[in-house]
Amino acid sequence: MLWEVFVRSRRGLSHVHAGSLHASDAAMALRNARDVYTRRNEGVSIWVVPAAEITASSPDEKEQFFDPAGDKVYRHPTFYELPAEVRHL
Amino acid sequence: MDFDALLAADARIEPRDRMPDGYRRTLIRQIAQHAHSEIIGMQPEGDWITRAPSLRRKAILLAKVQDEAGHGLYLYSAAETLGVDRADLLDLLHSGRQRYSSIFNYPALGWADVGTIGWLVDGAAIVNQVPICRCSYGPYARAMVRICKEESFHQRQGFELLLTLAHGTAGQRAMAQDAVDRWWWPSLMMFGPPDEESPNTAQSMAWGIKRHSNDELRQRFVDMTVPQAEVLGLTLPDRDLSFDGEHWRYGEIDWAEFRAVLRGDGPCNAERIARRRAAHDDGAWVREAADAYAAKGVA
């Protein structure tokens, strides 16, 4: 069974995807993830998730899925022109 | 490391760490009230979406109100890492057992209010929220980093809107000044009661939930905002406002008004909660339909 591994590199940071591995149950996945992905103190916490349980967006639908955000430049602070003398904005 | 050692090292506390009950309770209440403020905060400006004067302004306002909904969701999720259920938190809001920021009990009477809310209310929120990016509780701090990043557009669009009105016709200018006159003092109240009447501050600071006192943050906001008002060419409704060489000193805040609004006697308290409850009830069929569809297992 394939598991996806997420590692928190230190307190205060979120878990980030590190890779995947094979294991027959969650406990083994966690133990293997420790041995495979944190041999050099890369982490302080690990999440393992069955790969089959992850629902992912499809690469084929990338355009229709993400394009709606493309033309909304007004969501960015740099869209607004302010006088040069105004500070802390 | 135990809880106290982590705090002493200025390290973050994460969901599975042991933590004192009081720390957990305080965080749940604060994060929930913060989340409530985000979603109630959609109302004063939301009223203006259909009345925005141009398509550009309408798209901007829609994007901003949409962001507030997103901020509410980040925060409810952060609260849920502490072992509470989002539905229960909404119940507490709807039944008046948990509060939201008093500022949203004031009405947005004109179009200039949309600009003023962005400039002053979001400006004050940013001053309040930036230190929470370093809060001792990891999920809250991380949610706040995301929120602060997005909040910057909110404040800038507000300033730009007001600047446009302030350089417009005499009527537009007067509308901008009127809105600033009404929102200035409530914005100062957003930082909470004065330090000597804020009994929980010391504990929250010891826990690393709060990093600065209410009065410190209020002063920081005033110092940043007074020069911005000068750029706008608008005045702030405080005759006692004066620069002492280091800080802009401001006049007496009407704390009786603050307490009245908190008590439920503000201009819009009843309306805000009624609208929130109605939105929740009106949306019940959507939640039920989604659950029914999921139960069929076809997706």
Side-chain angles (χ1 to χ4, degrees):
Chain A
M1 188 175 167
L2 188 65
W3 297 75
E4 298 297 335
V5 179
F6 299 81
V7 175
R8 185 202 297 288
S9 58
R10 64 179 167 85
R11 281 174 179 282
L13 301 181
S14 45
H15 289 76
V16 174
H17 187 240
S20 49
L21 50 74
H22 281 255
S24 43
D25 61 27
M28 185 196 279
L30 207 50
R31 190 165 277 270
N32 288 357
R34 180 202 59 186
D35 293 343
V36 175
Y37 291 107
T38 61
R39 287 196 307 284
R40 290 175 181 79
N41 295 316
E42 289 94 336
V44 294
S45 169
I46 297 175
W47 288 346
V48 289
V49 182
E53 290 295 313
I54 292 180
T55 307
S57 61
S58 155
D60 300 340
E61 291 167 8
K62 179 177 162 283
E63 282 173 15
Q64 66 224 65
F65 205 64
F66 294 107
D67 276 1
D71 60 355
K72 294 177 178 62
V73 280
Y74 46 82
R75 284 178 178 161
H76 298 272
T78 44
F79 179 72
Y80 304 91
E81 279 190 34
L82 303 184
E85 66 267 33
V86 63
R87 297 182 59 229
H88 303 299
L89 260 177
Chain B
M1 277 206 273
D2 73 354
F3 180 80
D4 291 323
L6 286 170
L7 281 189
D10 198 23
R12 298 291 165 268
I13 310 296
E14 296 292 351
R16 296 198 172 199
D17 292 331
R18 278 177 185 276
M19 59 186 92
D21 285 345
Y23 178 81
R24 186 184 295 272
R25 267 198 315 274
T26 300
L27 273 171
I28 290 172
R29 199 186 56 238
Q30 179 171 333
I31 300 172
Q33 296 192 157
H34 199 159
H36 300 332
S37 302
E38 296 284 355
I39 62 167
I40 294 282
M42 297 166 72
Q43 291 188 36
E45 292 179 284
D47 286 342
W48 284 93
I49 292 173
T50 56
R51 288 173 277 174
S54 68
L55 188 55
R56 178 181 184 273
R57 291 290 178 200
K58 183 174 179 160
I60 291 169
L61 186 53
L62 260 175
K64 178 176 191 275
V65 174
Q66 184 186 24
D67 273 358
E68 310 294 2
H71 296 175
L73 298 188
Y74 304 158
L75 287 162
Y76 283 122
S77 303
E80 285 186 300
T81 64
L82 290 159
V84 287
D85 187 82
R86 185 176 312 195
D88 295 334
L89 298 179
L90 284 173
D91 267 351
L92 292 170
L93 168 65
H94 296 160
S95 58
R97 282 170 295 162
Q98 276 184 346
R99 286 171 175 161
Y100 52 89
S101 174
S102 62
I103 192 78
F104 301 116
N105 291 314
Y106 292 86
L109 298 177
W111 175 249
D113 289 49
V114 171
T116 309
I117 290 171
W119 174 45
L120 293 179
V121 176
D122 291 301
I126 291 171
V127 170
N128 256 331
Q129 289 174 164
V130 165
I132 308 178
C133 296
R134 293 187 297 114
C135 167
S136 61
Y137 188 58
Y140 190 25
R142 289 191 288 276
M144 208 50 58
V145 169
R146 243 187 137 79
I147 290 174
C148 285
K149 218 170 118 190
E150 297 178 351
E151 204 82 53
S152 162
F153 127 59
H154 298 184
Q155 199 192 11
R156 287 173 67 103
Q157 66 82 32
F159 190 89
E160 189 211 60
L161 195 166
L162 269 189
L163 189 68
T164 308
L165 291 177
H167 291 158
T169 65
Q172 287 173 324
R173 214 191 136 66
M175 182 165 66
Q177 183 62 59
D178 172 62
V180 170
D181 288 345
R182 282 182 289 107
W183 287 95
W184 173 250
W185 291 106
S187 299
L188 294 193
M189 295 175 196
M190 284 174 70
F191 297 91
D195 292 351
E196 61 273 19
E197 289 167 37
S198 180
N200 301 325
T201 291
Q203 180 62 74
S204 280
M205 285 174 88
W207 276 334
I209 297 173
K210 209 165 167 171
R211 298 286 181 177
H212 307 277
S213 77
N214 296 352
D215 286 331
E216 261 176 79
L217 292 173
R218 191 169 7 249
Q219 185 64 58
R220 185 177 296 176
F221 173 69
V222 173
D223 289 343
M224 281 163 58
T225 308
V226 174
Q228 293 170 355
E230 286 170 13
V231 177
L232 286 170
L234 298 173
T235 58
L236 296 169
D238 180 358
R239 259 180 245 158
D240 296 326
L241 210 52
S242 66
F243 194 64
D244 70 1
E246 199 180 348
H247 294 294
W248 283 94
R249 297 298 171 192
Y250 50 91
E252 189 86 16
I253 293 173
D254 182 358
W255 292 112
E257 176 182 319
F258 176 72
R259 285 189 293 272
V261 176
L262 271 192
R263 208 166 52 228
D265 297 332
C268 304
N269 297 56
E271 181 187 330
R272 297 290 185 242
I273 283 296
R275 179 80 192 85
R276 175 89 267 289
R277 279 202 203 118
H280 191 71
D281 294 345
D282 292 348
W285 72 270
V286 180
R287 294 188 292 276
E288 286 160 15
D291 287 345
Y293 185 74
K296 279 168 73 177
V298 286

